[in-house]
Amino acid sequence: VIALGERLGGGLVRAGGAGNKALLLLEGEASCYIQDRGVSRWDSCAAQAVLEAHGGCFAKLAAVAAEPGSRASYTYLASATNADFEPGIAALTPYNARAPPPPGGADAPPPLATSAEQLKPYSNTCGLFALPPSEMANLEEYRQAVREAAARHPPAYD
């Protein structure tokens, strides 16, 4: 996120809650919302609905970084498994794992999820990317900035 802020030449606005961050976008207090860590669907569903109803976008950060033109959204359907699982990108943490992740060494990164069954069904494990309506014309510039920042500092996706 810091690398992305540097790339875009903007400052960081620290704020709690996905809904609050979406409101900051709609109020013009921020130009984009990027998060690569720990959010669940109940944290993001209302924010996504309001932002998209006003003409903004709310998408998976992993899709924005990897797929030209993608604004892939999270799946908001009842499911016993994580419907948005992408192998090898989400770190298993106490926050998103169904069972406690295996302990690693002091400096070892957490293990990556290899199956949807390892994750809680409603964990957003692909990060979040959101723009207000006023920034939608600049979507491709943001997408390029996300790709460049991710190449320098890969997102944690936990």
Side-chain angles (χ1 to χ4, degrees), residues 1-6 8-15 24 29-30 32 34:
V1 173
I2 292 169
L4 183 59
E6 290 170 357
L8 293 170
L12 297 178
V13 176
R14 298 198 185 276
L24 289 171
E29 300 296 322
C32 70
I34 307 287

Side-chain angles (χ1 to χ4, degrees), residues 27-147:
E27 293 172 346
E29 300 296 322
S31 58
C32 70
Y33 167 25
I34 307 287
Q35 186 159 342
D36 67 346
R37 313 184 158 228
V39 177
S40 292
R41 304 252 166 61
W42 50 82
D43 297 318
S44 62
C45 61
Q48 180 170 356
V50 171
L51 191 57
E52 289 180 353
H54 286 274
C57 78
F58 199 100
K60 295 179 191 177
L61 179 59
V64 168
E67 303 168 29
S70 176
R71 293 193 324 202
S73 178
Y74 280 98
T75 303
Y76 293 96
L77 299 173
S79 175
T81 60
N82 192 302
D84 295 298
F85 171 72
E86 293 184 27
I89 70 165
L92 288 170
T93 67
Y95 179 80
N96 68 18
R98 284 184 188 251
D107 294 330
L112 297 178
T114 57
S115 74
E117 291 73 22
Q118 292 175 291
L119 298 166
K120 292 178 183 172
Y122 301 107
S123 293
N124 288 351
T125 57
C126 299
L128 298 173
F129 172 85
L131 290 178
S134 60
E135 292 294 319
M136 290 301 295
N138 302 319
L139 178 60
E140 288 309 313
E141 178 184 343
Y142 281 99
R143 183 184 314 284
Q144 182 61 32
V146 166
R147 283 195 297 267

